[in-house]
Amino acid sequence: QVQLVESGGGLVKTGDSLRLSCAASGRTFSNHIMGWFRQAPGKEREFVSGVRWNTGTTYYADSVKGRFTISRDNAKNTVYLQMNSLKPEDTAVYYCAATTFRSVFPTSPTSYIYWGQGTQVTVSS
């Protein structure tokens, strides 16, 4: 049974940093794609960042480029999202997700098979 467990959310101030973790278990993810999404109240779930587990190739939404960094630790089966220079508009529930290999990197939530429970990130002004 596949499990994705996020951690690391919290309440921070504008300009602060947070690191989210997503621990994956239940299968081998070496050929999978891992993604981070977020959903603010009243808004649709949106792509934030992603990584191809086997190559380490990373992808970012324009809104977080230059501020967020995604990485993975193969030994720990864990994906991280380092979030710097946080803004109030980054406030949302952040979800980790996984899907099987795609030649074109997927940014739609509907392309992902497995989801974590989410972790709240709140950035105060």
Side-chain angles (χ1 to χ4, degrees), residues 50-122:
V51 61
R52 293 186 182 275
W53 200 288
N54 55 351
T55 64
T57 307
T58 58
Y59 303 82
Y60 297 95
D62 288 342
S63 58
V64 305
K65 221 173 267 185
R67 299 189 298 123
F68 291 12
T69 303
I70 191 171
S71 61
R72 81 220 189 284
D73 185 327
N74 290 341
K76 295 183 178 179
N77 242 23
T78 299
V79 176
Y80 303 98
L81 185 68
Q82 178 66 42
M83 307 186 295
N84 298 331
S85 302
L86 283 162
K87 306 174 182 180
E89 49 264 45
D90 294 318
T91 296
V93 177
Y94 282 70
Y95 297 91
C96 177
T99 190
T100 52
F101 173 83
R102 311 284 177 98
S103 57
V104 177
F105 193 90
T107 59
S108 169
T110 59
S111 298
Y112 287 75
I113 303 169
Y114 308 109
W115 289 88
Q117 81 287 353
T119 185
Q120 177 71 46
V121 172
T122 303

